Amino acid sequence: MRKKIIAGNWKMNMTYEEGQILTSEIVQMAQDEQLKDVSLVLNPPFPHLHVVKKLIGGAPNVFVGAQNCSDKESGAYTGEVSAAILASFGVSYVIIGHSERREYFKENNEMLTEKVKQALAAGLQPIFCCGESLDIREAGTHEPNVKFQLTDSLFELSAEEISKVTIAYEPIWAIGTGKTASAEQAQEMHAAIRKHLASKYGKEVADSISILYGGSMKPSNAAELLAKPDVDGGLIGGASLKSRDFIDIAKSY
Ligand code: PGA
């Protein structure tokens, strides 16, 4: 059985105060509304991690994740945060290779491999993002494009290592645009990703890897997307900043 994961990517939003309110509300609702078989992952900006972890306390199925980590192990890299530092704060997950990091901070496939390795070495579970731009989608080459991102960044991992990775398929044209991939488009790509993983690691490993969809997922479209057999959860941006919306997405399963 694959893990069902609803992860919130707060991006560069939320003050200290706002983050605490949001976290407390989510933890409370998850408990009151008995969200049992879905893991919730909150990915706030770095300074929130400690308090978010504390507020989650012993809540079952609620975890804290970071939005990025360094590709280096430790040392003189001013402004960077290593995977080991994150792990020492009780962080469980880390988003790696979000399209905003690829575009604005010039993160390339090679660097992302290093980040994934650092995360795994520190005991974190990477949420590895992939996805095509609008011109690639319109040219019809989205499938080979996404497969290449996976091959180039992940395929030097062992089967044991890749089993600890969660994939997030996020078509860039759907992120923050209000435009969602249709459930059919998402399923088609998720199935292609799983087949690609199987071609390298075998069916059993590929079947055990959770593949999340991201890009304008909200309560009104979540049920349809999450009903697809290869969609194992969501990576939620905008709608993760409202506790009610975030929980309603998780309840759409
Ligand atoms: P969105 O962002 O839900 O606001 O489109 C998703 C993401 O970038 O992870």
Side-chain angles (χ1 to χ4, degrees):
M1 268 298 276
R2 290 193 284 276
K3 245 197 275 179
K4 294 176 179 175
I5 299 172
I6 297 292
N9 177 7
W10 296 7
K11 307 194 180 182
M12 199 170 71
N13 295 297
M14 295 280 135
T15 62
Y16 182 51
E17 190 91 42
E18 290 164 348
Q20 290 185 66
I21 295 170
L22 179 60
T23 305
S24 304
E25 287 176 357
I26 288 172
V27 169
Q28 191 63 47
M29 287 178 184
Q31 189 191 325
D32 293 348
E33 300 174 36
Q34 298 183 357
L35 278 177
K36 276 194 250 82
D37 41 325
V38 185
S39 295
L40 302 180
V41 185
L42 310 185
N43 299 269
F46 289 134
H48 291 266
L49 290 169
H50 182 58
V51 74
V52 167
K53 170 78 185 163
K54 250 174 101 174
L55 289 169
I56 290 171
N61 300 335
V62 188
F63 303 91
V64 64
Q67 297 174 20
N68 181 28
C69 70
S70 175
D71 58 332
K72 306 288 193 299
E73 192 178 340
S74 65
Y77 300 101
T78 302
E80 287 289 273
V81 178
S82 73
I85 294 172
L86 294 173
S88 76
F89 278 85
V91 169
S92 306
Y93 289 84
V94 58
I95 298 171
I96 291 177
H98 190 281
S99 60
E100 288 151 15
R101 303 264 353 143
R102 292 174 189 259
E103 184 183 350
Y104 306 134
F105 303 97
K106 306 292 168 241
E107 296 191 358
N108 58 35
N109 291 351
E110 200 183 350
M111 189 190 287
L112 298 179
T113 305
E114 293 308 311
K115 290 190 180 212
V116 169
K117 286 185 180 167
Q118 289 297 337
L120 290 171
L124 301 179
Q125 297 176 65
I127 299 176
F128 182 84
C129 302
C130 56
E132 80 285 357
S133 60
L134 183 60
D135 49 329
I136 288 174
R137 168 64 64 165
E138 284 173 345
T141 52
H142 42 287
E143 220 178 277
N145 178 264
V146 166
K147 283 182 185 170
F148 180 73
Q149 291 172 26
L150 298 174
T151 308
D152 214 32
S153 288
L154 299 181
F155 277 20
E156 50 184 274
L157 299 179
S158 68
E160 198 193 331
E161 286 170 326
I162 198 134
S163 302
K164 295 178 184 138
V165 176
T166 295
I167 309 280
Y169 168 59
E170 299 206 304
I172 298 168
W173 46 272
I175 296 177
T177 57
K179 228 189 210 180
T180 322
S182 68
E184 289 68 33
Q185 284 173 321
Q187 168 57 27
E188 192 180 42
M189 185 61 95
H190 284 225
I193 290 172
R194 200 175 307 285
K195 205 166 154 202
H196 190 52
L197 292 168
S199 72
K200 167 80 179 168
Y201 295 101
K203 191 172 178 322
E204 200 180 320
V205 169
D207 281 345
S208 73
I209 294 176
S210 299
I211 306 176
L212 317 183
Y213 168 79
S216 301
M217 198 192 258
K218 43 189 181 262
S220 59
N221 60 27
E224 203 188 341
L225 287 157
L226 296 170
K228 292 294 177 192
D230 286 292
V231 179
D232 307 310
L235 180 54
I236 327 292
S240 75
L241 303 177
K242 292 190 187 121
S243 52
R244 186 68 268 160
D245 284 0
F246 187 62
I247 293 291
D248 280 349
I249 291 172
K251 284 170 79 179
S252 313
Y253 260 122

